[in-house]
DNA sequence: TTATAAAACTTTAAGCTTGAAATAATTTCC
DNA sequence: GGAAATTATTTCAAGCTTAAAGTTTTATAA
């Protein structure tokens, strides 16, 4: 998914775009992953889950998390398990529907996330430093329209 | 890495861009992974390795592959192991430097890749269909400049 | 009601991924 | 020449990821 087009023709331009998109996000992702590990001894998936939960103090269901993060159910189970064992997150059985459990950041989890998120935002600013403000806005706009199209599509 | 900004301020615009970039590439990647599995019973990492090798009939060293694909050495070892066991790739010890081994597509591997790549290119065209030709070119240009900046940076 | 379907989640097996440690071959340099 | 550093690769442990199968609980509907 990271190699070049293997042909010429009409699909070539979009294939090139896709490869660049993927290389850019992999490069940035790898750098962020490494820094999260080195500086905070955590991982991207844990960070993602905590970021999702941070926005919603009342908590999220497992299925909400997996939908929001674009990953499978079983995946979220494992990550939340580890966050619970680290005391950063709680899983609370609900009275209403006993199949579901509400996942919330603990106080320690919220505090920890806030610290990391502030540094993380600085890293992203640094890593995307080569993109001008104007470009950043236009790129973000294009990607937003891609997303809307996509969501209409399914 | 997929949740929204947690603050306002100067870094906010680039953080938003990064989150959209990541969501877009994850969405497309997930779709391509699923189709590769369903239609060709293969995986993205295998496809990536084969794409890299397809461009270079004389083959690549393990370390070339890992550098090119932006993944770790140990990772490539496992993927190549599996491709070898499937008869799609060969690993040849070199006379000159016996630490290295040259990895090449087999005839079957090249044939298989060509088939998959053609379909894959069509998928990408379809999945990025919402992006106009003009946008595709501009986006690709921006991402290229990002990449150059990055590479100068390290 | 009460079988049947659907929903929410967990478990499992297989594969991907990394960073660190281990091996083996080559180079460097005294 | 031979110790020491470097390079290329593999192995390993831990964690991430998915799809599919399994469990428990709730909803549907004949």
């Amino acid at each position: 998914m990271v190699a070049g087009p293997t042909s010429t023709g009409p699909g070539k331009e979009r294939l090139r775009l896709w490869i660049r998109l993927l290389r850019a996000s992999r490069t940035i992702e790898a750098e962020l992953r490494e820094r999260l590990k080195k500086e905070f001894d955590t991982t991207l998936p844990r960070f993602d889950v905590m970021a999702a939960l941070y926005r919603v103090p009342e908590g999220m269901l497992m299925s909400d998390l997996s939908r929001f993060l674009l990953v499978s159910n079983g995946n979220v189970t494992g990550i939340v398990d580890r966050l619970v064992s680290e005391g950063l997150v709680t899983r609370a059985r609900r009275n209403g529907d006993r199949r579901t459990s509400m996942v919330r950041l603990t106080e320690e989890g919220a505090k920890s996330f806030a610290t990391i998120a502030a540094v993380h935002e600085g890293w992203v600013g640094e890593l995307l430093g080569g993109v001008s403000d104007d470009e950043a806005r236009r790129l973000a706009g294009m990607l937003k329209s891609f997303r809307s199209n996509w969501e209409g599509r399914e």
Side-chain angles (χ1 to χ4, degrees), chain A residues 29-44 116 119 123:
Chain A
E29 208 172 340
E31 183 69 26
L32 292 174
R33 192 188 339 96
E34 196 176 329
R35 293 188 184 190
L36 281 175
K37 185 68 185 172
K38 286 237 197 300
E39 305 292 329
F40 297 107
D41 192 32
T42 189
T43 66
L44 258 162
I116 301 177
V119 177
W123 289 342

Side-chain angles (χ1 to χ4, degrees), chain A residues 58-120:
Chain A
E58 67 273 22
M60 291 175 86
L61 301 183
M62 296 296 285
S63 42
D64 293 338
L65 270 172
S66 104
R67 207 176 358 264
F68 181 72
L69 297 172
L70 310 173
V71 298
S72 67
N73 268 346
N75 189 352
V76 176
T77 296
I79 297 166
V80 167
D81 282 351
R82 271 165 234 125
L83 287 173
V84 167
S85 79
E86 290 166 20
L88 300 169
V89 145
T90 57
R91 231 196 289 242
R93 258 328 187 250
R94 281 203 306 177
N95 290 349
D97 185 336
R98 270 175 313 185
R99 288 170 303 181
T100 66
S101 54
M102 198 58 109
V103 184
R104 285 187 197 83
L105 284 182
T106 62
E107 205 176 323
E108 184 194 345
K111 210 174 121 189
S112 165
F113 175 76
T115 304
I116 301 177
V119 177
H120 171 267

Side-chain angles (χ1 to χ4, degrees), chain A residues 120-131:
Chain A
H120 171 267
E121 184 172 320
W123 289 342
V124 171
E126 173 198 339
L127 296 176
L128 291 180
V131 182

